[in-house]
Amino acid sequence: MTRPRILVVGAGFAGVECVRRLERRLSPEEATVTLVTPFAYQLYLPLLPQVASGVLTPQSIAVSLRRSSKYRTRIIPGGAIGVDMKAKVCVIRTITDEIVDEPYDYIVLAPGSVTRTFDIPGLLDNAFGMKSLAEAAYVRDHVISQLDLADASHDPAERASRLQFVVVGGGYAGTETAACLQRLTSCAVRRYPRIDPGLIKWHLIDIAPRLMPELGEKLGLSAQEILRRRGVEISLGVSIAKAGPEEVTFTDGRVVPTRTLIWTAGVVASPLIATLGAETVRGRLAVNAEMTLPGHDGVFALGDAAAVPDLAEGEEGAVCPPTAQHAMRQGKKVADNVIATLRAQPLEPYVHKDLGLVVDLGGRDAVSKPLGVELRGLPAQAVARGYHWSALRTNVAKTRVMTNWLLNAVAGDDFVRTGFQARRAAKLKDFEYTDAYLTPEQVRAHVDGTGRAG
């Protein structure tokens, strides 16, 4: 008899935890495990702002999937662009644009999320994202290049526009990005004697009435005060009306001359979910507490792409928020449930009480809420960095991150551009291939055409 085929889509927190658990708890004779991902590493997303600001090197938060001593998973370098759940075939576009079909017996859908954008004129062509390692490295080069170009310019208008920076999104990603990059420019400007530090202006805007409402009003206000004290101009209840290459128009009518618009206004489930033709909850796949898809044999879904019921919350209809904390634990539980299915054992529901939130604002500034306890300053910083450090999956990654932190604390920031800033700018549309997915009809026609259906 052939071994059952388990296919995991996505190498984020959820997918990697699932694969690692399967490798540890399944013998090689019980099943084969295949992972679909464009990159053979797990990205520790919460630390991306520190990569963008140069505190951490890109390699330190990209944890290789091939370092595990129990590694035996086959990796297909590409992305799933459609799934025929009836024929049990996943259609994959490899990194060389080849279309391949991967049959499975059990599929774990953990494709994650993409940046949420709106129909705002010029947004996709002129905004930078902060969702991938390449984007973080690119944004760092871009910000430093603005200082270089402003220092060399003789045009006051050009200089002013290059020294204004706009970040959209008052959640964790946007707040930490603005905080870390503002700290980078405030330290770097000391090396540019021709630039007036007063010309450097950071804007953080969000349509919501408060920054990071999940933290609570007091800690949210504390974060606002920290940023305002540093000179970051915070505008709430405001968004972008139009984005151009050299200026941005806010919805309140203000026009800000800038060459840097960073868009971090939330995420939505991977476009793969919309191609399945299954029930969704606000774009996320509607699954039960065991993270299986009702009515479809052998289909599991979790992480940012699934609306997993939050049983610990105790409210009817509550779903788990799209956080790394939930994704990691869901990955382990899904692996257990896949194994239970293989062994004809009962499945268990996912239950996890949120442990709290941490926000690193760079330097000695942070706000944290572990287990409901509100912390500020150095205690909050210790909790935030301690949490992130412990969550890194390998000792090598932990060593690299700790070394980077210590070196930055002792030697300060460096302001070297690494060469990502090419002649042609790479914006939101260039990093997220949201137009690559097939419709359910296209998937079915493709699978039927290859003779795999039935």
Side-chain angles (χ1 to χ4, degrees), residues 20-58:
R20 289 293 175 250
R21 188 89 152 196
L22 291 171
E23 288 181 332
R24 287 193 298 269
R25 299 198 170 184
L26 276 178
S27 67
E29 293 74 29
E30 282 188 274
T32 62
V33 181
T34 301
L35 176 65
V36 181
T37 174
F39 310 106
Y41 62 76
Q42 178 192 14
L43 177 63
Y44 192 80
L45 272 169
L47 291 178
L48 266 186
Q50 294 192 35
V51 171
S53 64
V55 173
L56 298 176
T57 60

Side-chain angles (χ1 to χ4, degrees), residues 34-242:
T34 301
L35 176 65
V36 181
T37 174
F39 310 106
Y41 62 76
Q42 178 192 14
L43 177 63
Y44 192 80
L45 272 169
L47 291 178
L48 266 186
Q50 294 192 35
V51 171
S53 64
V55 173
L56 298 176
T57 60
Q59 188 181 9
S60 62
I61 67 166
V63 184
S64 172
L65 300 180
R66 301 185 189 273
R67 291 195 68 96
S68 170
S69 59
K70 294 184 179 295
Y71 167 76
R72 66 173 187 270
T73 297
R74 170 177 166 243
I75 297 177
I76 301 177
I81 59 174
V83 179
D84 188 329
M85 293 185 288
K86 182 179 179 182
K88 291 197 169 185
V89 171
C90 181
V91 183
I92 299 165
R93 188 189 301 274
T94 70
I95 57 175
T96 56
D97 275 338
E98 180 186 0
I99 306 297
V100 298
D101 296 339
E102 185 66 23
Y104 64 84
D105 297 298
Y106 302 94
I107 188 169
V108 177
L109 296 171
S113 56
V114 297
T115 303
R116 179 180 62 184
T117 57
F118 301 97
D119 190 20
I120 298 172
L123 179 65
L124 294 177
D125 293 322
N126 296 295
F128 299 99
M130 272 291 291
K131 194 75 171 59
S132 69
L133 199 59
E135 286 176 309
Y138 191 91
V139 164
R140 170 177 165 78
D141 264 21
H142 171 80
V143 169
I144 296 174
S145 74
Q146 298 313 296
L147 299 179
D148 289 341
L149 292 165
D151 182 67
S153 176
H154 298 289
D155 181 352
E158 179 192 353
R159 180 175 290 194
S161 69
R162 292 196 182 279
L163 296 178
Q164 290 209 70
F165 307 88
V166 178
V167 179
V168 182
Y172 304 109
T175 302
E176 289 187 336
T177 296
C180 290
L181 287 174
Q182 183 277 332
R183 190 169 181 274
L184 169 69
T185 55
S186 66
C187 293
V189 76
R190 301 168 193 163
R191 313 287 178 167
Y192 295 86
R194 296 181 66 249
I195 294 179
D196 177 5
L199 290 177
I200 297 180
K201 296 178 181 177
W202 280 87
H203 302 263
L204 176 60
I205 71 172
D206 194 272
I207 197 67
R210 289 208 315 259
L211 287 186
M212 300 175 293
E214 299 88 347
L215 275 176
E217 186 173 359
K218 290 183 180 179
L219 283 184
L221 290 174
S222 294
Q224 271 186 242
E225 181 55 34
I226 290 168
L227 294 180
R228 282 184 170 142
R229 196 165 59 238
R230 289 196 200 167
V232 177
E233 184 175 319
I234 299 171
S235 301
L236 300 174
V238 176
S239 188
I240 296 294
K242 184 170 62 175

Side-chain angles (χ1 to χ4, degrees), residues 89 97 111 118 122 129 147 190 205 220 228 237 254 268 307 311 319 342 371 405 412 416 418 426:
V89 171
D97 275 338
F118 301 97
L147 299 179
R190 301 168 193 163
I205 71 172
R228 282 184 170 142
R254 282 179 293 164
V268 293
L311 301 184
V319 298
L342 281 170
L371 300 173
W405 279 340
V416 176
T418 51

